Amino acid sequence: EVQLVESGGGSVQAGGSLRLSCLYSGLPSGDHDMGWYRRAPGNKCELVSIISTDGSTHYTDSVKDRFTTSQDNAENTVYLQMNDLKPDDTAKYYCVAGGLGFWRLGSGYRPCGHPGMIKMTVWGRGTQVTVSS
């Protein structure tokens, strides 16, 4: 059974930094993608970043040049370093594991509520990030 446990959330002022961690276990052998998603109250679920088994990464436009995702296979951990945080970054952040490309749908992103997303992924319980102005 795949399990994902996020940590590292908290409250910071705008311009501050946080590093989120996702400790994973039970991932099957083979290639996979690990993602960070976020959901703010009243807002839709949003992809933040992806890191693949080969180390390649993808970021949504709003976090490029501010957030960096990385992985430590020896520690079974995926990280999200968040710098220059803004109030719009306030959300609950979720670690997600799935097969290669689970986050794509055609030329865009697969919506969080898409049946394929539900079928193909495992989600952690999330960690809250609050950024004050």
Side-chain angles (χ1 to χ4, degrees):
E1 178 186 4
V2 177
Q3 292 190 328
L4 308 172
V5 179
E6 304 95 336
S7 61
S11 297
V12 297
Q13 290 190 323
S17 298
L18 285 172
R19 187 176 80 157
L20 305 184
S21 299
C22 171
L23 178 64
Y24 58 85
S25 62
L27 280 178
S29 59
D31 296 334
H32 55 265
D33 285 342
M34 299 289 294
W36 288 96
Y37 282 70
R38 65 187 180 186
R39 187 190 300 272
N43 290 358
K44 68 179 181 181
C45 180
E46 177 185 33
L47 179 148
V48 177
S49 67
I50 294 289
I51 186 164
S52 295
T53 311
D54 65 359
S56 59
T57 57
H58 178 87
Y59 301 91
T60 194
D61 286 346
S62 63
V63 308
K64 283 179 181 176
D65 300 324
R66 299 189 298 123
F67 291 11
T68 304
T69 188
S70 60
Q71 59 187 5
D72 185 335
N73 293 326
E75 297 294 328
N76 284 1
T77 302
V78 175
Y79 300 100
L80 183 66
Q81 177 66 43
M82 305 185 295
N83 298 329
D84 190 22
L85 282 160
K86 306 177 185 302
D88 284 348
D89 295 319
T90 295
K92 195 163 189 179
Y93 285 69
Y94 298 86
C95 180
V96 183
L100 286 179
F102 74 83
W103 48 284
R104 291 189 185 274
L105 184 64
S107 60
Y109 296 153
R110 187 182 300 273
C112 296
H114 189 274
M117 178 73 86
I118 297 170
K119 181 178 180 180
M120 294 190 293
T121 60
V122 176
W123 292 59
R125 293 190 172 188
T127 185
Q128 179 67 37
V129 171
T130 302
V131 185
S132 58
S133 56

